[in-house]
Amino acid sequence: MPDIVIAFFALGLCAGLVKSDLKLPSPTYDTLAILLMLVLGLKGGMALHGHVTGAMVVELLVVAALGVALPLLCYPVLRRLVRLDRPNALSIAAHYGSVSAGTFAVALALAEHDGLAVSPQTTLYLVMLELPAIVMMLWLHHRRQGGATSGHGGMAIWREALTSRGVVLLGGGVVIGALYGPQGMAPIAPVMLGGFKAMLAIFLLEMGLCTARVCRPLPLQQWRLMVFAAVAPFVLAWAGIGVATVLGLPPGTTLVLAALTASASYIAAPAAIRAAIPQADIGLAMLAALGITFPVNVLLGLPLYRLWLGV
């Protein structure tokens, strides 16, 4: 049987497809998203408590470099094979170079459920992969538009990326968890950490409903983009597996990194792209990232990546 949280995603997807009146209030979804990102940061920070090394810093820089490479690999495919115009190709490349916090949470929960070894710095991968792709594509957009990237334009890109909700919550959680450690976190651990899977289950229920909304009706004229969104996870996952193999990462961390590189952002990237590339159609990005890639990853990808890794 798949992990219990996957069943909640399937429930939400089925409810949305049959046009049920089931829905989560918007404040509930926002609260869950905030709590999940904060708890993920706290868990990673607690694992880092007293364990930061020079080798770990090098590892994180390699992961960040992967975040730069992924959108640069996706962009020419989106331009030439999917036949998107430049703004939309840049937009969707940024979404696929960036990563999904929801996919990360599911992969981490699965690795922990199966007792796979997960290194302390794994949560930081989410931060290291989320930012570079967005910044790289926004920089490329400014350059193609003839805008300055070294002055106020460049500073605006960095400020927008570094002060986004996800980065502040994840980064802040890591710092707090690393400073206080398991002992200092003990007073709030039962509520914050003990309720992680329950929060993730309800969050995935809403993600299932969102996926159904995005995909109804399917814009068949965008069949090339939909094929890309369905196939890309199985190709991009190998980038994560390859880097993990070179770095000698443990099985649980390798599974999480594969799931991350196979994922696409549907929270951080849309907010940044909507403001910076107004010509791009965010609906196309959401169709690909949330409507197709997210369910493919959660329902089909994770079991397949485990098979590939032999865990």
Side-chain angles (χ1 to χ4, degrees):
M1 293 289 288
D3 193 280
I4 184 64
V5 295
I6 305 299
F8 281 82
F9 175 79
L11 174 61
L13 182 61
C14 291
L17 291 176
V18 300
K19 301 183 180 180
S20 167
D21 62 354
L22 173 65
K23 63 179 180 179
L24 263 67
S26 181
T28 302
Y29 168 76
D30 290 339
T31 301
L32 282 172
I34 289 170
L35 287 172
L36 275 177
M37 286 186 282
L38 182 58
V39 171
L40 286 170
L42 291 172
K43 285 165 71 76
M46 289 170 62
L48 284 174
H49 184 65
H51 295 93
V52 179
T53 64
M56 184 185 296
V57 173
V58 172
E59 177 185 319
L60 292 174
L61 290 175
V62 172
V63 172
L66 182 61
V68 173
L70 289 176
L72 294 177
L73 290 172
C74 290
Y75 177 71
V77 175
L78 291 162
R79 281 288 282 159
R80 296 170 189 172
L81 297 183
V82 183
R83 300 180 186 177
L84 294 175
D85 58 23
R86 183 173 289 114
N88 280 305
L90 288 168
S91 165
I92 294 174
H95 283 75
Y96 277 80
S98 187
V99 292
S100 159
T103 304
F104 174 84
V106 175
L108 183 62
L110 180 62
E112 292 176 343
H113 175 267
D114 292 344
L116 302 177
V118 178
S119 57
Q121 62 273 25
T122 302
T123 298
L124 292 177
Y125 292 177
L126 189 57
V127 180
M128 303 306 289
L129 285 169
E130 186 173 55
L131 285 178
I134 296 173
V135 173
M136 173 59 66
M137 290 297 101
L138 294 186
W139 176 83
L140 188 58
H141 172 67
H142 276 255
R143 183 173 179 177
R144 294 292 172 88
Q145 292 288 98
T149 58
S150 57
H152 295 296
M155 288 299 296
I157 293 172
W158 281 104
R159 183 184 180 281
E160 189 171 352
L162 293 173
T163 59
S164 66
R165 179 177 70 174
V167 172
V168 170
L169 289 169
L170 287 166
V174 167
V175 171
I176 292 171
L179 288 175
Y180 283 85
Q183 187 173 353
M185 288 289 298
I188 64 170
V191 175
M192 294 292 287
L193 305 182
F196 172 71
K197 266 211 162 177
M199 290 187 287
L200 178 58
I202 300 172
F203 178 80
L204 286 178
L205 175 68
E206 174 63 13
M207 285 295 95
L209 293 167
C210 289
T211 299
R213 286 196 295 270
V214 169
C215 290
R216 194 177 62 237
L218 278 175
L220 296 180
Q221 71 274 18
Q222 297 293 342
W223 65 268
R224 290 186 180 86
L225 177 60
M226 291 190 288
V227 170
F228 170 85
V231 173
F234 304 109
V235 177
L236 297 177
W238 281 105
I241 293 172
V243 168
T245 301
V246 170
L247 293 174
L249 302 181
T253 299
T254 301
L255 177 63
V256 172
L257 185 57
L260 276 175
T261 56
S263 71
S265 173
Y266 51 81
I267 297 175
I273 296 300
R274 184 181 287 113
I277 312 180
Q279 307 96 317
D281 184 351
I282 294 299
L284 289 180
M286 293 299 286
L287 168 69
L290 179 58
I292 300 175
T293 295
F294 182 74
V296 164
N297 244 338
V298 169
L299 299 176
L300 303 177
L302 283 170
L304 185 59
Y305 310 151
R306 290 178 62 196
L307 184 64
W308 288 347
L309 296 171
V311 296

